[in-house]
């Protein structure tokens, strides 16, 4: 997927924006010191213990300084981690190992492993601290080795972050005031890293092999729509970046009604991961919520959240959208979003395993309790609450889910179409439920048999693939054939691509749900075409022999994209 022509690297653009800045490379993860590593002959146990304590204090100071400059959840994470760096139990256990002959690096490695295991076994809040212990361990070892600390680097001035790929924990502390764009050499366009870049509004390019060789401080121009990284930008790039800055300001707020130029209404909804997101989405003008990823509310939990905890979280989302539609997705655990209380970490193929709705077979009761929490939260709220199950593959599963919803008193059940079998049997599925929502991220991964997290498969893993567009068409056809014209929405990342959004509307999709940041761009481009033009573009895309040709043909007919730098 990568070429370096002259001074330009090419990858896959996943979030628009044109920006110039200097590069900072994400440090390599810290490797484990060799098992059984001993103190070197020239070091005494006392010297090693002093070195360890000095390193631990340096790590604590660095984390405390970073916490002071961070906001909200990021600040709390950093403060908790800073405290852990000089935890007496951790350090004492390591010093004991040093006295017994272990090297300082190996000693802190082993003592942290024991402390983490102990915390894990305690469960609940203490178990969540186990990750902090392992994080400070890596930082102390890096300090002892004199190499950069792992995690997102800090800098006095904003920078463009380059990494092989980012772990979810890294993105939790990613501060958009510091990191102005994101480039990875791996990572696919539907990966959760790409989703987070879009949510933060950072221009981003993934699968740009070779970029990890760029030296820290190199000045580059990023085009997050074209997917290019240009080293030593010239006058043309400087002008493009300035033009983008003006466009970004004008695209900051959506006017609140999704429609084509001739007035065909297409509600533009938002994807949210909890109440804080919902408040932001409402402020950005979202017409409702098309996907509440409930698993995001509980990703850090080892145990099933209580019904009361769930009610509080869902109510927060409903309250942000009084009188508006909110589609709640039941827990989508598994694959890249493991939840220890639902998923089995030892499955050989987690993406094809017991994930999403399928966990109802292995952990009966969790789904019923979640539906009852959603019903309780909906009760007394004025939001129009719809509910849908992820990873449904058959009409029988849809029927079973609808029955569970009815028992819970939820009157608008639906399912996600993210497995090709569901698209192919949409008509039968829609006999049991009131709506479907296309999850194009997973639908693409399963239609193309290409792991959505792999940068090497990025060219396969795009919803512009003719096979994916056909599955969208068939899903809409299933709804039409079913006779009641039940709504077919899209809540995968495809909806956030303004050009593809037009194609989806042309294919007959009735609502689009996306990260709040994309609402204005999608709304602006959609308003520039009539429904008939959108249908023509959909036909053009469907008739194209490849994803790249479909995208190029449609983009060539939408000059507004170029004007806006999208
Ligand atoms: C999808 O698969 O398109 C989707 C919206 O679900 P998620 O990205 O959470 O798997
Ligand atoms: Mg999905």
């Amino acid at each position: 997927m990568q070429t370096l022509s002259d001074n330009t690297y090419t990858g896959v653009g996943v979030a628009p924006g044109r920006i110039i800045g200097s590069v900072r490379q994400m440090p390599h993860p810290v490797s484990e010191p060799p098992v059984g590593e001993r103190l070197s002959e020239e070091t005494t146990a006392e010297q090693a213990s002093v070195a360890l304590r000095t390193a631990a204090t340096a790590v604590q100071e660095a984390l405390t300084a970073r916490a002071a400059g961070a906001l909200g959840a990021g600040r709390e994470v950093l403060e908790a981690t800073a405290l852990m760096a000089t935890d007496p139990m951790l350090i004492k256990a390591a010093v004991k190992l040093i006295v017994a002959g272990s090297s300082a690096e190996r000693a802190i490695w082993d003592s942290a492993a024991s402390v983490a295991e102990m915390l894990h076994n305690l469960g609940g809040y203490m178990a969540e601290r186990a990750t902090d212990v392992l994080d400070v361990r890596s930082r102390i070892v890096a300090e002892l080795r004199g190499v950069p600390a792992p995690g997102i680097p800090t800098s006095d001035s904003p920078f463009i972050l380059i990494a092989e790929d980012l772990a979810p924990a890294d993105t939790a502390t990613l501060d958009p005031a510091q990191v102005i764009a994101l480039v990875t050499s791996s990572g696919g366009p539907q990966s959760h890293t790409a989703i987070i870049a879009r949510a933060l509004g950072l221009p981003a390019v993934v699968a740009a092999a070779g970029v990890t060789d760029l030296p820290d401080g190199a000045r580059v121009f990023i085009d997050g729509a074209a997917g290019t990284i240009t080293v030593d930008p010239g006058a043309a790039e400087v002008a493009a970046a300035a033009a983008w800055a003006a466009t970004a300001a004008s695209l900051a707020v959506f006017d609140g009604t999704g429609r084509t130029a001739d007035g065909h209404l297409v509600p533009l909804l938002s994807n949210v991961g909890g109440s804080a997101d919902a408040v932001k989405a409402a402020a950005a003008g979202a017409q409702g919520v098309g996907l509440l990823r409930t698993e995001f509310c509980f990703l850090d939990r080892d145990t099933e959240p209580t019904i009361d905890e769930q009610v509080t979280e869902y109510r927060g989302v409903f309250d942000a959208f009084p009188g508006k539609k909110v589609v709640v997705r039941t827990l989508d655990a598994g694959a890249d979003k493991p939840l220890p209380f639902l998923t089995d970490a030892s499955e050989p193929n987690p993406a094809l395993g017991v994930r999403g709705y399928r966990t109802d077979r292995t952990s009966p009761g969790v789904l019923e309790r979640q539906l009852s929490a959603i019903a309780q939260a909906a009760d007394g709220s004025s939001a129009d609450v719809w509910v849908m199950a992820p990873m449904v593959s058959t009409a029988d599963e849809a029927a079973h889910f609808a029955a569970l919803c009815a028992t819970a008193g939820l009157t608008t059940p639906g399912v996600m179409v993210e497995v090709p079998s569901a698209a192919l049997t949409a008509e039968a599925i829609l006999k049991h439920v009131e709506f479907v929502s296309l999850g194009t991220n997973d639908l693409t991964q399963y239609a193309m048999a290409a792991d959505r997290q792999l940068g090497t498969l990025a060219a396969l893993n795009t919803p512009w693939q003719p096979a994916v567009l056909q599955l969208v068409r068939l899903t809409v056809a299933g709804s039409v054939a079913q006779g009641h014209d039940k709504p077919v929405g899209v809540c995968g990342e495809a909806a956030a691509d303004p050009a593809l959004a037009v194609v989806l509307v042309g294919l007959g999709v009735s609502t689009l749900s996306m990260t709040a940041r994309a609402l204005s761009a999608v709304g602006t481009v959609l308003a520039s075409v009539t429904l008939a033009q959108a249908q023509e573009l959909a036909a053009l895309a469907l008739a194209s022999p490849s994803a790249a040709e479909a995208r190029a043909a449609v983009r060539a007919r939408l000059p507004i994209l170029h004007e806006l730098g999208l």
Side-chain angles (χ1 to χ4, degrees):
M1 208 352 84
Q2 175 274 329
T3 46
L4 175 57
S5 70
D6 302 325
N7 60 346
T8 300
Y9 294 83
T10 304
V12 179
V14 293
R18 292 172 179 160
I19 211 161
I20 291 178
S22 9
V23 157
R24 288 294 303 267
Q25 294 283 350
M26 182 91 168
H28 288 295
V30 170
S31 60
E32 176 176 350
V35 178
E37 187 179 67
R38 311 284 296 166
L39 274 175
S40 69
E41 289 199 344
E42 47 291 355
T43 316
T44 64
E46 194 179 340
Q47 285 167 335
S49 306
V50 170
L52 175 69
R53 287 184 198 280
T54 311
T57 307
V59 167
Q60 185 182 48
E61 284 169 3
L63 288 170
T64 308
R66 272 184 67 193
L71 296 171
R75 184 183 190 132
E76 283 163 30
V77 170
L78 288 166
E79 281 171 351
T81 319
L83 275 182
M84 198 54 84
T86 53
D87 179 72
M89 183 167 51
L90 178 70
I91 302 298
K92 265 190 200 157
V95 168
K96 218 167 151 189
L97 292 173
I98 292 174
V99 171
S102 176
S103 74
E105 290 171 27
R106 189 68 222 181
I108 189 70
W109 196 269
D110 289 336
S111 70
S114 315
V115 172
E117 194 187 339
M118 191 196 76
L119 290 172
H120 187 81
N121 291 340
L122 288 172
Y125 172 81
M126 297 311 273
E128 289 158 28
R129 300 276 73 78
T131 341
D132 298 340
V133 178
L134 298 180
D135 182 30
V136 294
R137 168 174 86 172
S138 299
R139 291 173 184 278
I140 294 173
V141 170
E143 184 71 28
L144 285 166
R145 288 181 184 161
V147 299
I152 293 177
T154 48
S155 165
D156 292 340
S157 49
F159 58 92
I160 293 168
L161 180 65
I162 303 212
E164 216 171 283
D165 202 1
L166 290 175
D170 298 324
T171 49
T173 54
L174 196 152
D175 173 6
Q178 274 269 297
V179 178
I180 53 173
L182 211 54
V183 180
T184 63
S185 59
S186 181
Q190 328 284 340
S191 65
H192 283 283
T193 297
I195 294 173
I196 279 163
R198 279 187 281 258
L200 293 174
L202 297 177
V205 180
V206 300
V211 286
T212 46
D213 296 336
L214 280 167
D216 271 359
R219 218 171 128 71
V220 300
F221 167 73
I222 307 290
D223 187 330
T228 52
I229 300 104
T230 309
V231 186
D232 293 333
E237 285 83 18
V238 171
W244 167 259
T247 306
S250 78
L251 284 178
V253 184
F254 167 56
D255 77 0
T257 308
R259 60 174 117 56
T260 58
D262 54 338
H264 171 70
L265 294 179
V266 183
L268 300 186
L269 313 167
S270 190
N271 294 350
V272 302
S275 44
D277 263 7
V279 169
K280 282 189 211 150
Q287 293 177 263
V289 169
L291 169 63
L292 165 57
R293 287 185 164 103
T294 55
E295 67 282 358
F296 276 24
C297 311
F298 306 112
L299 271 185
D300 57 346
R301 294 290 299 262
D302 277 351
T303 50
E304 182 186 344
T306 64
I307 290 190
D308 285 349
E309 284 171 317
Q310 295 189 57
V311 171
T312 307
E313 195 58 49
Y314 308 151
R315 179 67 65 74
V317 177
F318 299 162
D319 287 349
F321 285 95
K324 306 252 177 75
K325 173 163 126 182
V326 176
V327 183
V328 184
R329 173 172 77 184
T330 56
L331 291 170
D332 183 23
D336 54 340
K337 292 176 287 189
L339 289 182
F341 59 93
L342 275 179
T343 49
D344 168 6
S346 67
E347 279 183 351
N349 289 307
L352 300 180
V354 182
R355 60 165 293 201
Y357 172 73
R358 300 170 179 183
T359 57
D360 186 44
R361 296 180 198 177
T362 47
S363 307
V366 176
L367 180 57
E368 272 108 325
R369 287 188 286 277
Q370 182 175 23
L371 291 173
S372 139
I374 297 167
Q376 277 185 44
D379 210 22
S381 124
S382 71
D384 178 16
V385 176
W386 297 21
V387 56
M388 67 183 179
M391 281 293 286
V392 164
S393 323
T394 67
D396 280 353
E397 288 176 350
H400 182 237
F401 180 70
L404 292 179
C405 289
T407 307
L410 292 160
T411 52
T412 317
V415 299
M416 289 191 73
V417 171
E418 44 188 357
V419 181
S421 64
L424 295 167
T425 58
E427 182 182 351
I429 284 178
L430 279 163
K431 289 201 164 70
H432 304 289
V433 292
E434 298 306 313
F435 71 99
V436 292
S437 183
L438 284 148
T440 47
N441 309 335
D442 278 314
L443 188 61
T444 306
Q445 125 162 302
Y446 295 124
M448 305 309 295
D451 187 334
R452 66 193 259 189
Q453 299 191 82
L454 281 186
T456 35
L457 301 179
L460 286 177
N461 223 326
T462 155
W464 285 98
Q465 285 288 351
V468 179
L469 298 178
Q470 288 293 351
L471 289 168
V472 173
R473 183 185 67 78
L474 285 169
T475 307
V476 173
S479 164
V480 172
Q482 206 279 329
H484 298 287
D485 225 2
K486 292 182 175 171
V488 176
V490 173
C491 63
E493 292 300 295
D497 171 340
L500 194 46
V502 169
V503 168
L504 294 169
V505 169
L507 286 170
V509 159
S510 47
T511 57
L512 298 168
S513 188
M514 65 205 77
T515 173
R517 298 261 183 184
L519 288 164
S520 176
V522 169
T524 306
V525 176
L526 191 59
S528 76
V529 294
T530 61
L531 179 59
Q533 284 167 335
Q535 287 163 343
E536 276 167 36
L537 290 175
L540 190 65
L542 275 177
S544 297
S546 71
E549 286 160 288
R551 182 172 185 269
V554 170
R555 289 183 67 88
R557 299 271 294 269
L558 289 170
I560 185 173
L561 294 172
H562 189 71
E563 284 159 30
L564 294 178
L566 294 169

